[in-house]
Amino acid sequence: MLGIFKRPVVVTADINLNLVALTGLGLLSRLWRLTYPRAVVFDEVYYGQYISFYMKRIFFLDDSGPPLGHMLLALGGYLGGFDGNFLWNRIGAEYSSNVPVWSLRLLPALAGALSVPMAYQIVSELHFSHCAAMGAALLMLIENALITQSRLMLLESLLIFFNLLAVLSYLKFFNSQRYSPFSLRWWLWLMLTGVACSCSVGIKYMGIFTYLLVLSIAAVHTWHLIGDQTLSNMCVFCHLLARAVGLLVVPAVLYLLFFYTHLKLLHRSGPHDQIMSSAFQASLEGGLARVTQGQPLEVAFGSQVTLKNIFGKPLPCWLHSHQNTYPIIYENGRGSSHQQQVTCYPFKDVNNWWIVKDPGRHQLVVNNPPRPVRHGDIVQLVHGMTTRLLNTHDVAAPLSPHSQEVSCYIDYNISMPAQNLWRLDIVNRESDKDVWKTILSEVRFVHVNTSAVLKLSGAHLPDWGFRQLEVVGEKLSRGHHESMVWNVEEHRYGKSQEQRERELELHSPTQLDISRNLSFMARFLEVQWRMLTLRSEDSEHKYSSTPLEWVTLDTNIVYWLHPRTSAQIHLLGNVVIWVSASLTTVGYALLFIWYLLRRQRSACELPEDAWPNWVLAGALCGGGWALNYLPFFLMDKMLFLYHYLPALTFQILLLPIVLQHISDHLCRSQLQRNLFSALVVAWYSSACHVSSLLRPLTYGDRSLSPGELQALRWKDSWDILIRK
Amino acid sequence: RLLAAPEATTFPTPSISGKRRETTSPRTPRADPLGAVDKNPARLRPARRIILRTGRMPPALGGGLAGSELRPRRGRCGSQAARAVGRDARPDSAAKSPGRPALTSRRLEAVGRWATLALVTLLAFATRFRRLDQPPHICWDETHFGKMGSYYINRTFFFDVHPPLGKMLIGLAGYLSGYDGTFLFQKPGDKYEHHNYMGMRGLCAFLGSWLIPLAYLTVLDLSKSLPAALLAAALLTFDTGCLTLSQYILLDPILMFFIMAAMLSMVKYHSCSDRPFSAPWWCWLSLTGISLAGALGVKFVGLFIILQVGLNTISDLWQLFGDLSLSLVTIGKHLTARILCLIVLPLLLYVAIFAVHITVLNKSGPGDGFFSSAFQARLSGNSLHNASIPEYLAYGSIITVKNLRMAIGYLHSHRHLYPEGIGARQQQVTTYLHKDYNNLWIIKKHNTNEDPLDPSIPVEFVRHGDIIRLEHKETSRNLHSHHHEAPLTRKHYQVTGYGINGTGDSNDFWRIEVVNRKFGDRIKVLRSRIRLIHVVTGCVLGSSGKVLPRWGWEQLEVTCTPYLKETLNSIWNVEDHINPKLPNISLDVLQPSFPEILLESHMVMIRGNNGLKPKDNEFTSKPWHWPINYQGLRFSGANDTDFRVYLLGNPVVWWLNLVSLALYLLSGSAIAVALQRGAQLPAELEGLTRVLLRGGGQLLLGWMLHYFPFFLMGRVLYFHHYFPAMLFSSMLTGILWDTLLRLCAWGLASSPLAGVVHAAGILSLLLGTAYSFYLFHPLAYGMIGPLAQEPQSPMAGLKWLDSWDF
């Protein structure tokens, strides 16, 4: 107890001034005049609307990535007191005064600034010199494309930050492995690796590439660990377990946590509701929930229902019918049954109501007590407004001639009998005795006579069908597809005997009260699935580019143009850095192959202790580049230059490593070494020069004359706007 | 050791003796006198180099001496690599085992092996050729591939997404068997009647039957165990899926034959690697190359086996490179041999296949439209064949302009206006697939309206970068664009016909540019790829490929796109060209060279493949369905009165394969971890684990390479795409169960059951698959009668999954 007083209280601080300076410079370069331009710049228009949705707690679905990135941007808005009231509709629109531009842009800018000292640390953790580490950080500092991307409400700088953090903390973990496994530090870095990995996956799916990189390097290291026979089996097992927890369990749990927060935050219904299932919509405040709240749960004979197609592509829609009949002869000369059209209609309408009828009885009301419909029951579906029965027969459908036409039967007194019996098939049943439930049950209607299934074909009917969607009967044997599955959305127990009364009833809203809640996992799975399967139609954009154009920087993106002057912001990299980074990657690969070949012939050029460092640096940086770049060749979505930035940061890390290697191992004399250093300094100053030349396009703070702009157009493929 | 020999002689099953040899092998180098010397390799190295140099000579002189090289090489290898041990073991242990009984047992064993091979082959042929003529109507894709075979016999040009070898072989088989190519192959279910289809089916069944002996030999070579090979062969023989797929006119049996042939030859040349450059080595190496060319020539799926052979070759070369006893010159020779046999030879063959394809098909046919105008000029019967037109475009020329993307057609206009509400109410401009007067345009200078055909005006050629005006010949309206939305693609501008008698406004001006050319170049008919850039808005003339509604006569939309990206939609070429002031030249001059034809065919094939996109609202087969045998394909018939054939794997075989994959991964990783932890395995186990890790690993790689890439493919997929992977998976099952049972037997070594466990296990697996084949054979050989859910059906009770449909 008294021991404390015997010695003076000493705090030993170990401050690396390099780091402090780099952080300061990073902050300066990223935060300088952050609120300029006070207008919507490029993709801010896209992310901004999601920020607004968060502020207003309105549910949305964005297929571009998991929600963490959006939430972080929204956090900036929250801290700045943004109320979400801004119309994000046009690039270049001035921000109104209620938009806290500075705090919205702050987080990405901080992430961009901190990437600079992190680059320094990664290179020094790879056991390369301080000079090399400084080099990497300084290159990150002056890279124009990274600056532009971090100064706006965009996700790339956050992604890069977490990528680097994952790599850095893994390296720290790996380095502390040697002397102090299972120490606090060791655990800390291991867990941080997992956290950073899941954050980068949570910001963009692209983060998976870095996660895979860390995982595979960790796997190789673990494999070596297994081979280490000085460790006991128990010890190895503990190592394996710790890694599994840190690198697999923690990221998975965090990933779920992101979605949990996301869904907790967004509890109001909004414009994207339609994409989701009825059950999901019903779990949101307002929207469908307001309608379905209080509906009876079990569908009974006599129930009035609307039926929504589960697949909902090309449009979410409800089973529909109306007075009009199929034309006797189609345009292509085929004939039809001339019976009443049955379609799928993407809007709420009184004609979407159907009544579930027991074939054995004539009434269209629900008994007391209600007799629920079960899996396997035979039902008839009566169209509410026309009281005609849903029917299908061996007549080719209007647009899908291989399927059967579905109609509401009109008795023309010709030899075409009604075939209106359907067997109810609950797809997600738990037992064969399950009851058909509103919203929750996913059902198929199997036609009794022809074993055809009611299906949304996805084709739009021509003008005679009012461009509604075609509904057909397809043979059960053609395979199961979600477009055959329907669910009840609105539901009420029918009470009126008379048709006129019933029409009034159909027009009135549903009542009664049962609340139902979807579990988090169900909601998560649905959101995740929709995100992955949602496909946007757009396949053209003025500034989209191909991966091949990125390496040589043959393309740029105009982010913003001042409404009056010719000040403009571009996503445009520092050509010197891009080209030399690509060259050094090639250089590394060649050198590596050469060393590998020599080693296989038992001739070791490198000292034994330098080789593992050289390999690890290449695997992390070169591998990181390849993993973040090459998969884009397989993607057929729209790609932009900014997709290359994560790969570029890895390339930039590799650059000083290769340079140091050349100076250490390939320069044979002191003279050569000095000469090489001089070259490197000259090269770096040229990079700085280029960076300052491009600065006006990075910050957009200065209006350039047409002549100056023309002079900056170094490549014909660059799109620089010149006012005439 | 003495125990081993009597056992081998008393036990007639060759398997047991095979096992003994295998298991004792790791000991032999240690006992070998040559091996004993190796304990001090440093001292011996120079001497060895000398042996090496002298030993290297004979094969260069002649293959006959190759055998003599065996001995010194093996001695050298003794210390350096475990890889040689397994293969070297045979002669060593034979030399060491007590002389005579071993020799007779060896002879017996050889006879036994040949007998089993013969038996396996016979059974394969018997099952594949049984009821080959049934059903006598077109089944499933026979309608495509039979038709394409007929095209070869009739020499009409067609287009398919696969390379031509498979269809060429089918055509050849048909031709040789006396089929005259007159059957139309219109749709599945059409009766063949008097047409001779057995030749074509026979070829497929013949190649399909060879799969089984090939698999047998591959497994035998990888595992050195007869039961494993027998099991693999039985799995494939008794698989109803393989059987069905081999009985019809399809590409798959041909493809799988080449894949398996490549696999076997690769395995064989690896096992010859102790005597490189000997005759069998060269033979297997070049056979590998030939089979690779065959596989790629049938379908692009052949790329996966090429990848496998490539990976193996690289690792093989890497090992050789690390062998310090080999000089760099020798390694260079190895490298050259592989480049020659595995790259140059297949490439030559592949190109030769295309050369034959193109020379044979010289008549115009249904495939013309997929190819460029210049390509079509080769085909007799095509309107461009033997035509003669002026070579360079000049002002006043009357031309047709064709889009470079396939199935878009010619730039077209007609006397109909865009309807109210869709852009400006001006004359429609579309693309049209057929030849028509309304496709003709006159090319004029932008600033004058004088008639360039006036004899007093000298001919002036159109050059790259010129500003021109295109006047529609029939209606005298100019090609025009402006800032109105295009009818379907809202982000593009509308293109119309505008002006009266050629007088319009500045929105009629277009800059003509040749792709990849310099300023001022002349524009060549057919060959130049041109873009038309609208001068005022800077957009590019293109076709979106979308079909216009009825007001546009269901022709395709033409737009002016503001996105300057180079896509084929916005590149055009001039096809017809009429200009009386210019001399006509024969189109033969413009015909593409063979490399260009080759390139174009591949571009068109790749585009065709990418175009096979699944529809949103249709059921499509997913790769994860396949290994679990989720759903089959209906080859023929649907109703209970039809003759029904249903392509479905034998569920017992397939599910056994699935279980084996999981077991393999489990046992493989357990062994790998144990080895990495430095566990010392007994000698017998070491041999078994090597077979499991090496041989099994090879097959696992094959399975993965032939399966996983399908997850990345965007095109429509079918169940039968899994079959090449299934072959590998069955072979793996053979090796796995044999090894596991041997491990069991070893574990029970003390009890008298030891010998029985292995034999009983293998036997029950063999009988089990045979019985399941007996149950499911109607799927392949055809069934008539009620569907499986009816109790009186021949398949009653066998519909184990709801998704099966027979």
Side-chain angles (χ1 to χ4, degrees), chain A residues 499-537:
Chain A
Q499 174 62 13
R500 186 146 299 272
E501 259 178 71
R502 193 177 305 125
E503 280 179 22
L504 277 177
E505 192 179 27
L506 290 175
H507 280 288
S508 64
T510 50
Q511 281 151 15
L512 267 161
D513 197 83
I514 304 170
S515 67
R516 55 187 76 84
N517 270 322
L518 223 51
S519 72
F520 162 67
M521 270 324 264
R523 285 164 50 112
F524 160 70
L525 287 176
E526 181 173 345
V527 169
Q528 180 70 83
W529 180 246
R530 300 273 163 172
M531 274 184 180
L532 292 175
T533 52
L534 200 69
R535 255 177 288 163
S536 46
E537 302 278 303

Side-chain angles (χ1 to χ4, degrees), chain B residues 511-574:
Chain B
R511 193 167 64 246
I512 187 164
E513 286 188 353
V514 184
V515 178
N516 299 333
R517 281 302 149 79
K518 292 194 301 289
F519 187 75
D521 276 1
R522 288 186 292 182
I523 290 158
K524 225 179 193 177
V525 176
L526 295 189
R527 302 303 295 278
S528 291
R529 297 147 61 93
I530 58 178
R531 308 208 305 163
L532 288 169
I533 294 165
H534 193 238
V535 176
V536 175
T537 58
C539 60
V540 187
L541 186 76
S543 172
S544 64
K546 295 178 189 163
V547 182
L548 292 173
R550 214 141 53 102
W551 54 256
W553 309 97
E554 272 142 23
Q555 296 172 358
L556 306 182
E557 183 197 35
V558 168
T559 63
C560 195
T561 146
Y563 309 116
L564 303 180
K565 292 275 172 295
E566 231 172 69
T567 63
L568 282 179
N569 293 46
S570 56
I571 300 180
W572 307 79
N573 73 320
V574 176

